[in-house]
Amino acid sequence: MERTGDGTGERAGEPTGDTGGTGEAARPGRWTGSRRAVLTAAGMSLLAAACESGDGGGGGGGGDEGERSPFTGRKGTGDKVLGVKIDNVEAARPHTGLSKADIVYVEQVEAGLTRIMAVFASRLPPLVGPVRSARESDLELLRQFDQPGLAYSGVQSKLRSKVESAPLAALPPGRVREAYVRKSDRPAPHNLYLRPREALDSDAASDVGAPKDIGFRFGAPPGGGRRTSGRSVRFQAARYSFEWSSGRRRWLVSMDGSPARTTDAGRLEAATVVIQYVKISDSDLGDSSGSVTPLTESVGSGRALVLRDGKEYEARWKRPSATGGTTFEDTDGKRLAFARGQVWVVLAPAG
């Protein structure tokens, strides 16, 4: 059984107010209570609309800002798709840049732990990480995107040829050294970070594809569903919880019982959470401690739970081929619409 390692063998470089009409003469510099209430209500409505659509704030990723992203349903598509493999053990937290991802996938790795595959397109943060090594399951998962870039810290020798021949642009430190930085406030290997824009502007990413339809649909809440305050997903050595916040209209993310926060944007939160039950089996690979590397199969079909707007919906997922996207249908066979915003997909073991 081949052992896996996160080392790359190379060192990454360090790196005025409108008076308006009120039905009575307005006095300069003075506000009536009714006018203040009207304007405050209008401002709150605009703010809520911006939050719901996701059109306000965040670093731009390029692309047509008038079009809606096939990944989030928000305006702004981005021009290139970038997957980043992110560390997720306690020593790697809090994360950086993760709140700007369009999609966050959770995958099982050795010893019952998990890692994250964050997919960026519409918004690119200045820094993302910590970055860790790729796995075989990543290759099948990313086939549904159009020639994405994949940023990772390294890969074991037996898997290297598969990564380099896959329909993606491999972007490890050895190819885009200028896009990586080591931070001094954490010990290795939890201190490697990616500059996404530098990675995508590199020659190695010249053929990275643009966002395309991968099966997601967005819109008004469907009928039915069950009211729920939250849902947890357990792995052998990891746990994710999603708690509904009616005030923020988002699912607040916790990891291993603690609120999941970022260094740059506070608490992690999702507009939609998908718990996708998949087949997870042993691969021929493993890590240096002797643990077998699991293989997650994202092609096929199975049960799913979709969480949005304080409800959970029973669903079926389907992905007939590796080159196709993943669709989610309700119990009547209709496509199930997601809420606009960041989507979390937890690839959980089927029971």
Side-chain angles (χ1 to χ4, degrees), residues 48-73:
C51 291
E52 177 64 21
S53 65
D55 299 336
D64 190 338
E65 295 301 318
E67 294 183 5
R68 290 196 178 273
S69 165
F71 304 157
T72 67

Side-chain angles (χ1 to χ4, degrees), residues 85-103:
K85 198 61 184 286
I86 295 180
D87 197 357
N88 197 37
V89 296
E90 186 176 358
R93 306 172 197 156
H95 297 99
T96 296
L98 193 55
S99 66
K100 296 297 190 294
D102 290 342
I103 310 171

